[in-house]
Amino acid sequence: MKYHPIDSNLFIKNRKNFMAQMKPKSLAVFNSNDIYPIGADSTMPFQQSRDLFYLSGVDQDKSMLLLFPDAVEEKHREILFLTETNDHIAVWEGEKLTKEKATETTGVKTVYWLKEFDKIFFELMTQADTIYFNTNEHYRANVETETREDRFIKKTKAQFPAHSWAKSNPILQRLRSVKDPIELDIMQQACNITEKGFRRILDFVKPGVMEYEIEAEFMHEFLSNRSRGFAYTPIVASGKNACVLHYIENNQQCKDGELILLDVGAEYANYSSDMSRTIPVSGKFTKRQKEVYNAVNRVKNDATKMLVPGTLWKEYHEEVGKLMTSELLGLGILDKADVKNEDPDWPAYKKYFMHGTSHHIGLDTHDYGILWEPMQANQVFTVEPGIYLPDEGFGIRLEDDVVIKENGEPHNLMRNIPIEADEIEEIMNK
Ligand code: GLY
Ligand code: MN
Ligand code: MN
């Protein structure tokens, strides 16, 4: 791992909060992710299950966490199962968590090797009535592969058909959406790395550069700052490529007079940052580009002010739609008749701003959070309005990550990343 060690008190608290919501005589099991194959002996780089990481800090594959608050023996209330290692295995397979290191990382005192799981699990299941399974109920989840968690659930249901089952996911959705100060600090570090990348490319961009050269500059800065790399597939979209919302080819030349939409964020310690900026290739916006840019920026600033405890996500989006409608009227992109005749299910502004304004962010870029429950302090949301004008050859999106505060204005984790059009021009021309 490239990141600095995380204070294990975070994981101790997270488990305590989870266990406080479990039913009597129940246990919960969490599995790591698989390492996904490519072909021959090639694999994708490992990415830990965010739930297992949240509850333990373990960042290696073939790992399991078992929580059983009512276990007869105290030592079995929290157990980690890990791949066996020793000095000999370490020479061949590289460094893995020893039992001592695992306890230091996670705060879990009882660590067994994975080969002991079946026997201990059977014994503990005889003391339990209910098992919590960890399914993925994220509103955007779209998973076609069978995960390690899926295989565990299938096997356990067959082996223990008389137990009742419960869902871990709703508990985790609520817990993970509200960030601990330790997590906010890590997320600030991710945003700071993104800032370094952005400042680097403000110095780098000039007419003629390729989109992938810009991507490479970000990657250089991210890796040099202990990030594993991009938190999500980066978008570096010049000209009208910016109007393709999921443009990830990043293979075109950036030309004089065009804008480049950058939707790029560093990960740090498995936490995401998610930034969008739109900059002029030449270092100078045209008058029209700047007018549209400033409209997007005003919507972003006004939307951010609405991120306070109690706000409902759906109502918030309706209010942002009204702000955007008013800006599009001001720009002459919509006229009054468009708005008067609009379909309430697909308002006129959606032709130019067709995606959501905000999502939860944290261990996942599109993080957990129950969208129909009121916003709470210490939840972190993106704010990312945009206006896309393919006929004019450009699209603009601006995106920051902000923390909801108990009192007062939200705290912008990207407050130091240049966003005002004049400041962008000044830095690009210095
Ligand atoms: N970069 C993904 C998003 O903005 O939601
Ligand atoms: Mn983004
Ligand atoms: Mn986003």
Side-chain angles (χ1 to χ4, degrees):
M1 264 56 78
K2 297 184 177 76
Y3 54 87
H4 292 292
I6 297 173
D7 181 348
S8 61
N9 281 311
L10 173 63
F11 311 117
I12 293 168
K13 274 189 271 185
N14 292 347
R15 288 192 298 275
K16 188 161 165 274
N17 290 337
F18 186 94
M19 287 192 284
Q21 298 197 39
M22 292 172 70
K23 298 176 193 191
K25 293 189 77 179
S26 68
L27 63 78
V29 176
F30 304 88
N31 282 273
S32 62
N33 276 337
D34 283 316
I35 297 182
Y36 291 94
I38 295 176
D41 67 346
S42 325
T43 61
M44 303 285 284
F46 176 65
Q47 288 253 357
Q48 185 56 289
S49 149
R50 298 302 194 251
D51 293 329
L52 181 64
F53 187 80
Y54 179 78
L55 294 168
S56 71
V58 168
D59 207 348
Q60 70 184 31
D61 68 309
K62 298 199 194 91
S63 309
M64 298 173 89
L65 172 71
L66 188 150
L67 301 178
F68 189 5
D70 297 337
V72 173
E73 286 186 88
E74 193 177 337
K75 69 174 185 180
H76 285 156
R77 295 189 182 157
E78 297 185 340
I79 311 175
L80 274 177
F81 295 90
L82 302 176
T83 307
E84 182 168 5
T85 191
N86 55 40
D87 289 348
H88 175 74
I89 295 172
V91 170
W92 285 88
E93 297 182 17
E95 193 185 331
K96 288 197 173 67
L97 288 172
T98 59
K99 291 187 179 181
E100 296 72 30
K101 185 78 185 149
T103 297
E104 186 187 323
T105 303
T106 65
V108 177
K109 296 195 182 73
T110 306
V111 184
Y112 293 121
W113 299 134
L114 196 59
K115 62 186 181 190
E116 298 165 278
F117 180 81
D118 285 344
K119 183 168 167 289
I120 293 165
F121 181 58
F122 181 83
E123 180 191 325
L124 297 181
M125 280 294 267
T126 64
Q127 299 171 20
D129 293 338
T130 302
I131 175 158
Y132 280 79
F133 288 130
N134 191 27
T135 50
N136 178 355
E137 297 183 12
H138 188 267
Y139 65 107
R140 297 198 199 204
N142 176 17
V143 183
E144 293 189 7
T145 52
E146 188 175 63
T147 63
R148 204 173 177 81
E149 203 74 82
D150 295 330
R151 297 198 298 278
F152 172 76
I153 293 170
K154 217 190 258 180
K155 178 168 174 272
T156 305
K157 281 185 171 178
Q159 194 185 351
F160 299 96
H163 280 69
S164 43
W165 309 321
K167 300 198 295 185
S168 295
N169 186 266
I171 303 176
L172 284 166
Q173 290 255 4
R174 291 189 174 91
L175 290 178
R176 274 183 48 187
S177 72
V178 179
K179 272 64 179 175
D180 184 271
I182 298 172
E183 294 183 284
L184 292 176
D185 182 57
I186 298 171
M187 292 184 73
Q188 182 66 72
Q189 293 184 61
C191 292
N192 293 350
I193 298 171
T194 300
E195 176 187 351
K196 287 187 178 177
F198 182 59
R199 289 188 183 274
R200 183 181 177 101
I201 71 98
L202 287 178
D203 275 345
F204 174 79
V205 166
K206 57 181 179 310
V209 294
M210 301 300 290
E211 292 166 348
Y212 53 74
E213 293 180 286
I214 297 173
E215 182 177 337
E217 293 297 307
F218 273 111
M219 192 56 158
H220 180 106
E221 201 64 35
F222 291 179
L223 284 172
S224 305
N225 284 280
R226 294 179 176 269
S227 160
R228 177 172 62 219
F230 297 105
Y232 50 90
T233 310
I235 296 171
V236 182
S238 60
K240 68 174 164 35
N241 296 334
C243 302
V244 178
L245 293 183
H246 290 149
Y247 177 80
I248 50 173
E249 299 297 324
N250 304 349
N251 61 2
Q252 297 298 301
Q253 193 169 44
C254 304
K255 303 194 187 67
D256 202 3
E258 287 181 338
L259 298 180
I260 314 170
L261 190 159
L262 306 159
D263 187 340
V264 178
E267 77 79 50
Y268 179 72
N270 289 320
Y271 284 80
S272 288
S273 64
D274 185 2
M275 173 199 77
S276 299
R277 290 292 184 271
T278 308
I279 63 170
V281 174
S282 67
K284 191 109 185 72
F285 292 93
T286 65
K287 181 164 172 288
R288 172 66 170 170
Q289 288 166 348
K290 200 179 267 192
E291 277 168 8
V292 179
Y293 187 100
N294 288 337
V296 175
N297 202 13
R298 280 192 294 273
V299 173
K300 181 180 154 293
N301 290 333
D302 290 345
T304 302
K305 291 186 195 131
M306 291 187 251
L307 293 174
V308 294
T311 295
L312 287 169
W313 194 80
K314 185 161 177 287
E315 289 174 10
Y316 162 79
H317 276 84
E318 285 160 8
E319 289 306 312
V320 176
K322 290 181 199 160
L323 294 170
M324 184 56 90
T325 301
S326 145
E327 290 292 351
L328 290 169
L329 285 167
L331 290 164
I333 293 170
L334 287 180
D335 63 30
K336 287 200 176 124
D338 294 324
V339 178
K340 188 156 167 268
N341 302 326
E342 74 185 8
D343 171 357
D345 291 334
W346 193 254
Y349 78 83
K350 293 255 187 197
K351 182 169 174 199
Y352 305 98
F353 171 37
M354 57 297 271
H355 56 78
T357 309
S358 293
H359 54 81
H360 290 271
I361 180 167
L363 279 169
D364 284 290
T365 304
H366 298 154
D367 207 28
Y368 281 173
I370 310 253
L371 293 183
W372 57 88
E373 294 183 356
M375 294 183 187
Q376 293 176 54
N378 296 323
Q379 291 184 331
V380 187
F381 281 92
T382 63
V383 192
E384 48 181 305
I387 295 178
Y388 306 92
L389 303 171
D391 293 346
E392 299 190 40
F394 68 90
I396 294 172
R397 177 164 65 254
L398 299 173
E399 175 175 25
D400 280 344
D401 304 341
V402 306
V403 187
I404 296 189
K405 302 296 285 184
E406 191 58 57
N407 299 300
E409 295 221 346
H411 178 63
N412 187 347
L413 297 174
M414 296 190 157
R415 64 201 171 282
N416 296 325
I417 308 186
I419 195 163
E420 296 305 320
D422 294 342
E423 190 186 358
I424 302 265
E425 288 182 337
E426 195 183 308
I427 298 173
M428 290 185 81
N429 290 290
K430 83 166 184 295

